[in-house]
Amino acid sequence: MPNAYQQLTHRFQRLSRFAHLGAIAGWDMQAMMPPKGAAARGEALAELRLLRHQLLTEPVVGDWIAEAKTLPLSSSEQANLHEITRQYTLATVLPGNLVEAQSLAGSRCEHAWRTLRASNDWASFEPLLKEVVSLAREEATLRAEATGVSRYDALLNLYEPGMNSAKLDTLFGSVKTWLPDLIQEIMARQARYPLVTPQGPFSTSLQRETGLDVMKVLGFDFEAGRLDISAHPFCGGVPDDVRITTRYSEDDLFSALFGVIHETGHARYEQNLPREWRGQPVAEARSMGIHESQSLFFEMQVGRHPLFLKQLRTLVLQHFPQQPALEEDNFIAWNHRVTPGLIRVDADEVTYPAHVILRYEIERALVEGNIEVGDIPDLWNEKMQASLGLSTQNNYRDGCMQDIHWTDGSFGYFPTYTLGAMYAAQFMATIRQKMDTDEIIHTGDLTPVFNWLNSNIWNKGSLLATDELVKQATGESLNPDHFRQHLITRYL
């Protein structure tokens, strides 16, 4: 008879296979499914989510966990048992009917959002979001009561274990003291050098070919993944079948291209999680902050590096004719522009934290019950004016309706973007101490950099807690000074 630990690994292998099906069906829902399939797909995904919840929360799983803790396990097995226990504890807090209701409400809201955002229709979107928020508050209350933390922190813990709003307030509070002046200083400096605007149209098919070329340079495994189109760029699927998406505009050459670079960072992480532990919780990504660190490492630390931009320009010119905007100096400067804008995913890396902090402050107040859904548009406009000097009055499409995250109740996710930017800067600072990154990027062969990421981040999965992972990789806990210094060095 298998012992209790082996029973657990078998159960989680089954759960992983069901999650695999859900991930591919979820990708299909956003990238391929015809509109009339939405209701039936939402019901199917809700049924699958409920089945996984039932398998995870059966009382026998708790019995196995208790017995497994008495067994002589290796350090890796102990780490896996820790993650099994964490997932079990998180799941048993929620009743099955809430899990199902959240899945159905999220599917309805997300599907409607695709068309309602395009038509700037907040009035029709608001009641759908209210339902999602109501269920998220119910979840947050149950989790908070079980763990003794605030409602928002209980949801934040789902995406970034070990983080809380007190730490975020310190980190983001510091950023808010220096970011506005830095933005103004960089913009004043850049204003002295007028730029030539790229002139479209830029064919979608040629943009796609350019993106595929860049993915090859960045080491994406095309036998274990693919690139498609969706309303909002994302990385989905599973490690052996990673699905990344982008969205194209024939007026903008770079939005989709850097979206592809960003999602390729996510994909490389997924494709290189510890294969020997596949199907177990310890083989999953450590946290969304670490996940975002990889996408932002690719997009910002490497992708916006002047020497990489030179190579990117060469790839672009293989598909698009030369024009003044694509001259080397202008190409690099254009991709280093710091300009406050309305859209988070198109933001430069200097103004990006302002977008994240705005969302963090709103979603925290929303989950805690300090504001209601109807307050979001005016609060969004107020915070955009204060942080970036821009108005979103009556412009819901480019304001509070622009992101997909809240449509399925992913409250607590947004802070991980700026945490990821901080981790990415810290990882690059460490890599620079170990190798000549400028020369490596100049050669076009990024293998040494990827090898470091694989050894220190990707292949660790969830074997270590986030803080321990970062300390082992860099010699210190998260240090936001690396991020600030990166911005100063690159832009000033």
Side-chain angles (χ1 to χ4, degrees), residues 272-454:
N272 289 280
L273 288 167
R275 182 168 295 276
E276 67 274 19
W277 286 97
R278 290 282 164 87
Q280 297 302 310
V282 82
E284 296 172 9
R286 173 59 280 173
S287 73
M288 289 316 304
I290 296 300
H291 226 312
E292 293 299 339
S293 79
Q294 298 311 288
S295 58
L296 291 168
F297 188 97
F298 274 57
E299 180 189 2
M300 300 302 185
Q301 295 295 326
V302 173
R304 306 275 181 176
H305 190 293
L307 294 174
F308 187 84
L309 287 171
K310 289 184 178 182
Q311 297 173 42
L312 189 62
R313 173 179 175 269
T314 299
L315 293 177
V316 166
L317 290 176
Q318 290 175 7
H319 298 282
F320 296 97
Q322 175 65 282
Q323 58 170 279
L326 300 184
E327 294 292 341
E328 185 175 281
D329 288 348
N330 194 84
F331 187 97
I332 293 171
W334 184 263
N335 286 294
H336 281 176
R337 285 172 309 140
V338 172
T339 308
L342 297 175
I343 304 299
R344 174 187 61 84
V345 296
D346 293 335
D348 57 82
E349 63 179 327
V350 183
T351 60
Y352 196 103
H355 291 269
V356 170
I357 293 170
L358 174 152
R359 287 156 173 78
Y360 160 64
E361 292 174 347
I362 291 177
E363 71 175 12
R364 181 181 174 187
L366 188 64
V367 169
E368 297 290 358
N370 298 326
I371 64 169
E372 297 301 329
V373 171
D375 300 322
I376 293 175
D378 287 343
L379 194 55
W380 191 287
N381 180 49
E382 174 188 316
K383 289 181 177 292
M384 279 296 287
Q385 299 238 31
S387 61
L388 293 173
L390 300 172
S391 172
T392 58
Q393 190 71 41
N394 298 322
N395 182 2
Y396 311 110
R397 175 177 53 245
D398 297 330
C400 59
M401 287 181 70
Q402 68 180 267
D403 299 299
I404 198 172
H405 305 61
W406 292 346
T407 67
D408 71 351
S410 296
F411 299 102
Y413 190 114
F414 277 120
T416 67
Y417 286 111
T418 291
L419 290 173
M422 292 175 175
Y423 286 129
Q426 188 163 331
F427 295 151
M428 181 58 95
T430 300
I431 294 172
R432 286 186 181 279
Q433 295 173 1
K434 300 182 180 298
M435 60 189 81
D436 187 343
T437 53
D438 290 348
E439 179 59 26
I440 289 168
I441 293 173
H442 174 69
T443 65
D445 182 1
L446 298 169
T447 301
V449 173
F450 296 151
N451 286 344
W452 187 93
L453 291 172
N454 189 46

Side-chain angles (χ1 to χ4, degrees), residues 24-93:
I24 299 302
W27 161 84
D28 178 81
M29 189 175 191
Q30 294 189 50
M32 294 291 176
M33 187 189 72
K36 289 184 179 179
R41 181 64 55 82
E43 291 169 358
L45 286 171
E47 189 74 34
L48 186 58
R49 187 174 174 186
L50 179 59
L51 174 61
R52 293 189 69 244
H53 182 77
Q54 291 169 342
L55 283 171
L56 178 54
T57 58
E58 280 185 356
V60 69
V61 177
D63 296 339
W64 289 335
I65 289 173
E67 186 178 341
K69 289 179 178 179
T70 69
L71 298 175
L73 301 176
S74 69
S75 59
S76 296
E77 289 170 334
Q78 288 173 1
N80 194 41
L81 180 59
H82 179 270
E83 293 302 313
I84 285 172
T85 305
R86 178 176 181 273
Q87 291 194 16
Y88 172 77
T89 303
L90 288 171
T92 52
V93 170

Side-chain angles (χ1 to χ4, degrees), residues 182-192 338-340 351 492:
L182 181 62
I183 292 172
Q184 293 305 314
E185 187 177 356
I186 295 170
M187 288 177 63
R189 176 172 176 163
Q190 292 185 350
R192 301 200 298 263
V338 172
T339 308
T351 60
L492 294 177

